[in-house]
Amino acid sequence: MSLYKNLFKQTLIYGLATVFPRIISFILNPLFVYYLPNKSQMGEVSVIFAYLVFFNVVLSYGMETAFFRFYNSEDNKKRVISTATISLFWSSIGFLALALIFRKNLGDWSGISTEFITYTIWILALDALAIIPFSKLRAEKRPMRYATIKIANVSINLLLNIFFLALLPQWAEQNPGGFFNTIYRDHYQIGYIFISNLLASLFTLVVLVPNYTRISWSFDLALWKRMMRYGGPILFAGIAFAINEHFDKILLDWLHVPMSDIGAYSACYKIGMFMVLYRTAYTLGIEPFFFSHAHHENAQQTYATITKYFVIFGSFISLFVIVFADLFKQILVPNVHYWDAMKVVPLIVLANFFLGIYTNLSVWYKLIDKTHIGAYISLIGAVVTLVLNYLLIPTMSYYGSAIATIAAYGSMMIISYQMGQKEYPIPYDFPKIFSYLGLTVLFSAVSFYVPMLRDNYLVKITLLLLFLGFIYKNEKQTLLRIAKRKSNAN
């Protein structure tokens, strides 16, 4: 089992810098719910953040992935660093200049305050300028510095949000003639949220500035063209992923769903993000493992085993979150006025679980160097997202968006499995995987959507224990082998 222990260690090491920001988002959610005056402001913040995610993908235009590809394949690594850095530097500066010139037009088009548009533009530009410096740290195998800066960024953002939303109003009120009163603006919570993000991004870029002063600033046009060709499909896949992950908030706004409903939906959506933590940490550890193990004789069987255990752990986490969702809402969404959107939680949890399974199943096209297929599958998912949102939102509001999300990720999962079995057959234990997945969906629906059982924790915990018993029955021999090896080792 040392193979799987190494996989766990990789997941722990590489996942920290990515998972920690997700944890911070859990903390920020109740902070926003508690201190924003109403659900409408929460909705406005969610829509702007959705635009941020979408344009972050556009402004990176696949250059981050292209950088890793050519850094590892080219002899002149300094030329790769300087070419990628110069490309993103000038594209970011160009975006910043144009967007600031037309910020009023952007505000009129989107219905967002020009002031908030300005903050968003600066955040996007600063984050884009940090892409290659961060990539360089990873390429040079400096994970501690990478993780430290990433964690510092989200920590500063959290602390500034606490200061501006929770502490500054109190201190300003207690000292009417003091310094804090001079910097405090009444009814400016949304502005403070984006100022916090802006200052955190500025800090990050300042720390990374030496990466700009130490390069040769030599630009290789031929290399850049090759990097752009490589990064093109990555850009489209990234846009498709952003549509699947965040575009629902924008579509809800475009289709005239009240901001208060969007705010409630976005707040309760966060409860479904427990599965994102599991999926994110796992993905960061599993991808290097997949490639390093590709030439082993038993590679396909190993991939099949890993996928089965991902489904086992993911099924339990999904069911656990859904069973106790009404307890989690007390902490993560501490405002009863938001709870009318709780009905989306099981769908969002299971949707992210499906996306995690898709990540496992997608190993086949990465190993046979057909990554463009991943872009096509993501585009199919994006089409499903857009079409179902358009059809369902007018009659079902945000619940239609949740249905679209689970349908998109479910279709991607099924398509990847069917195509993969033709191109790169992997002997998945499909009967067991399907039984775990099916039982999770059944027990989740019973425990959450049956009114008489929603508050009956005796029944819900019984379902959870029955699921654990089902796992033990199916995996008993494997568990006994592990226990025997541990006893022999001791």
Side-chain angles (χ1 to χ4, degrees):
M1 298 299 290
S2 60
L3 183 69
Y4 304 107
K5 288 181 181 178
N6 290 333
L7 174 59
F8 176 77
K9 289 178 182 178
Q10 288 182 38
T11 300
L12 186 63
I13 293 168
Y14 291 109
L16 178 63
T18 302
V19 171
F20 190 77
R22 300 279 191 177
I23 295 172
I24 294 298
S25 74
F26 275 90
I27 302 172
L28 285 173
N29 196 64
L31 189 71
F32 293 166
V33 168
Y34 189 81
Y35 285 104
L36 288 175
N38 52 60
K39 293 188 291 184
S40 295
Q41 289 203 342
M42 184 68 171
E44 190 171 354
V45 169
S46 302
V47 170
I48 298 173
F49 274 130
Y51 278 115
L52 269 171
V53 171
F54 186 79
F55 281 101
N56 270 329
V57 174
V58 174
L59 288 175
S60 67
Y61 49 87
M63 186 57 69
E64 180 180 14
T65 305
F67 170 83
F68 285 114
R69 166 67 173 81
F70 286 89
Y71 184 91
N72 288 303
S73 64
E74 296 287 314
D75 293 330
N76 192 338
K77 300 187 187 305
K78 291 183 178 179
R79 185 68 57 88
V80 175
I81 293 170
S82 62
T83 299
T85 300
I86 292 169
S87 178
L88 271 169
F89 177 81
W90 287 114
S91 61
S92 302
I93 296 300
F95 162 79
L96 178 64
L98 284 173
L100 288 176
I101 290 170
F102 294 104
R103 63 185 182 275
K104 188 177 185 307
N105 304 78
L106 291 170
D108 294 339
W109 170 76
S110 64
I112 298 169
S113 164
T114 303
E115 188 174 13
F116 300 154
I117 288 286
T118 304
Y119 291 142
T120 303
I121 291 167
W122 277 101
I123 293 168
L124 284 167
L126 293 174
D127 288 348
L129 289 169
I131 289 172
I132 296 303
F134 270 129
S135 301
K136 182 171 173 283
L137 289 175
R138 290 172 60 191
E140 294 176 346
K141 295 181 172 56
R142 300 172 66 188
M144 288 304 298
R145 180 168 173 78
Y146 173 87
T148 300
I149 298 173
K150 283 283 189 180
I151 291 171
N153 172 279
V154 294
S155 299
I156 290 170
N157 183 30
L158 172 63
L159 293 173
L160 286 172
N161 271 287
I162 292 172
F163 169 72
F164 283 124
L165 297 179
L167 301 178
L168 182 59
Q170 295 181 20
W171 293 350
E173 184 180 357
Q174 293 168 1
N175 299 280
F179 167 74
F180 293 113
N181 193 60
T182 62
I183 64 172
Y184 174 67
R185 287 177 61 179
D186 199 16
H187 306 299
Y188 196 63
Q189 289 90 341
I190 295 179
Y192 286 138
I193 289 171
F194 289 101
I195 288 173
S196 299
N197 275 266
L198 177 60
L199 292 176
S201 295
L202 180 60
F203 161 82
T204 301
L205 185 61
V206 169
V207 172
L208 295 171
V209 158
N211 290 275
Y212 282 93
T213 60
R214 293 171 185 168
I215 66 170
S216 61
W217 286 85
S218 59
F219 187 77
D220 187 327
L221 182 60
L223 173 62
W224 179 77
K225 288 180 179 179
R226 287 192 290 139
M227 294 178 79
M228 290 296 290
R229 283 195 295 270
Y230 184 87
I234 308 295
L235 168 61
F236 287 111
I239 290 174
F241 183 82
I243 289 173
N244 291 330
E245 189 86 354
H246 296 282
F247 211 67
D248 52 349
K249 285 83 172 177
I250 296 173
L251 289 170
L252 287 166
D253 183 32
W254 287 358
L255 293 173
H256 309 296
V257 172
M259 275 293 175
S260 57
D261 286 349
I262 299 175
Y265 170 64
S266 301
C268 292
Y269 194 103
K270 286 290 184 181
I271 298 176
M273 299 297 278
F274 279 104
M275 180 53 59
V276 176
L277 292 179
Y278 171 62
R279 191 194 79 219
T280 302
Y282 174 85
T283 301
L284 286 170
I286 198 63
E287 287 199 341
F289 174 82
F290 278 154
F291 287 108
S292 65
H293 203 74
H295 300 295
H296 289 217
E297 185 178 349
N298 62 339
Q300 281 96 331
Q301 183 58 54
T302 300
Y303 298 152
T305 303
I306 289 171
T307 299
K308 185 180 76 170
Y309 283 102
F310 174 85
V311 171
I312 290 173
F313 285 113
S315 295
F316 177 75
I317 293 170
S318 298
L319 184 58
F320 184 88
V321 172
I322 293 167
V323 162
F324 294 108
D326 287 317
L327 298 181
F328 289 131
K329 76 182 180 185
Q330 307 281 347
I331 301 169
L332 295 175
V333 191
N335 187 328
V336 67
H337 295 103
Y338 286 75
W339 293 351
D340 52 342
M342 278 297 295
K343 59 185 179 182
V344 306
V345 170
L347 297 181
I348 300 305
V349 171
L350 292 172
N352 279 288
F353 184 28
F354 289 170
L355 182 59
I357 297 173
Y358 165 74
T359 301
N360 278 273
L361 299 177
S362 67
V363 62
W364 66 270
Y365 63 71
K366 295 175 183 177
L367 293 177
I368 64 175
D369 291 328
K370 292 186 177 181
T371 52
H372 61 280
I373 293 176
Y376 297 150
I377 295 174
S378 295
L379 285 171
I380 292 171
V383 170
V384 172
T385 296
L386 293 173
V387 171
L388 288 182
N389 269 286
Y390 180 77
L391 293 175
L392 298 179
I393 286 175
T395 56
M396 304 180 72
S397 188
Y398 52 75
Y399 195 68
S401 291
I403 292 173
T405 301
I406 194 170
Y409 292 149
S411 63
M412 290 166 61
M413 175 181 68
I414 293 169
I415 291 169
S416 183
Y417 171 76
Q418 291 180 337
M419 292 182 67
Q421 292 305 93
K422 295 177 182 177
E423 298 283 343
Y424 186 87
I426 295 175
Y428 297 113
D429 191 348
F430 188 75
K432 285 188 178 179
I433 289 175
F434 184 79
S435 65
Y436 292 130
L437 194 57
L439 204 58
T440 300
V441 173
L442 175 63
F443 283 2
S444 295
V446 169
S447 66
F448 195 89
Y449 291 115
V450 176
M452 67 181 65
L453 300 180
R454 178 76 176 265
D455 297 321
N456 191 330
Y457 281 95
L458 178 61
V459 173
K460 294 166 84 168
I461 292 172
T462 299
L463 290 175
L464 198 61
L465 292 174
L466 284 173
F467 186 73
L468 284 173
F470 182 74
I471 293 173
Y472 179 77
K473 179 183 176 182
N474 280 293
E475 308 301 326
K476 182 177 179 180
Q477 297 303 318
T478 302
L479 294 172
L480 290 175
R481 282 200 305 271
I482 294 172
K484 186 176 179 180
R485 289 183 184 181
K486 284 187 175 181
S487 63
N488 292 335
N490 294 331

